[in-house]
Amino acid sequence: VQLQASGGGLAQSGDSLRLSCAVSGVSLDDYHIGWFRQAPGKEREGVSCIGRGSSGPYYADSVRGRFTMSRDSAKSTVFLQMRDLKPEDTAVYYCAAVRFRKLSSDSYLTRCFTVGHDYWGRGTQVTVSS
């Protein structure tokens, strides 16, 4: 199972970026997916999550209204559209997957930032300058 995050880069305040998380080795439809980020010197935090069948998504307060998460089963890819980027969005962004058999979509969405995920991808760096 592989999760590969991509799409990060340098941006200025107010810019947009779209991150992708390509899932291979398994069917994306069998997994709930979360996006997390870790800024230098800070703990990893949850950004957004989406349940199997596109239920949700759920967003952290810090990104709600600016970020949009979606999934495309045909492409086996999950996206994170980030708009109105702020310097505080600077971090390494990771995607992670948990099997839907472990918990329902509703259960996942209520605790997706704390539940243990089965697989993690390598991160992609997002740097936002003011």
Side-chain angles (χ1 to χ4, degrees):
V1 180
Q2 285 193 330
L3 285 76
Q4 181 63 56
S6 62
L10 299 175
Q12 294 187 330
S13 290
D15 283 353
S16 298
L17 285 174
R18 188 176 80 158
L19 304 185
S20 299
C21 175
V23 179
S24 60
V26 293
S27 171
L28 177 60
D29 289 342
D30 291 340
Y31 287 82
H32 310 304
I33 305 292
W35 280 102
F36 297 80
R37 66 186 182 186
Q38 187 165 20
K42 295 187 177 181
E43 292 187 356
R44 186 177 63 201
E45 63 176 357
V47 175
S48 178
C49 53
I50 192 167
R52 182 186 185 224
S54 295
S55 57
Y58 177 80
Y59 300 96
D61 290 343
S62 59
V63 306
R64 187 173 293 117
R66 299 187 298 121
F67 291 10
T68 302
M69 186 175 181
S70 61
R71 59 194 292 163
D72 186 331
S73 294
K75 296 180 179 179
S76 195
T77 301
V78 177
F79 302 99
L80 184 68
Q81 178 68 52
M82 306 186 296
R83 297 182 176 86
D84 190 22
L85 284 164
K86 305 175 185 297
E88 51 264 41
D89 295 319
T90 295
V92 178
Y93 284 71
Y94 301 89
C95 54
V98 60
R99 296 181 185 89
F100 84 94
R101 295 184 186 279
K102 281 190 172 182
L103 69 173
S104 68
S105 292
D106 288 344
S107 293
Y108 175 69
L109 292 172
T110 59
R111 48 181 165 146
C112 58
F113 294 162
T114 57
V115 71
H117 284 68
D118 300 309
Y119 303 103
W120 289 82
R122 292 184 178 182
T124 184
Q125 176 72 48
V126 172
T127 303
V128 184
S129 61
S130 58

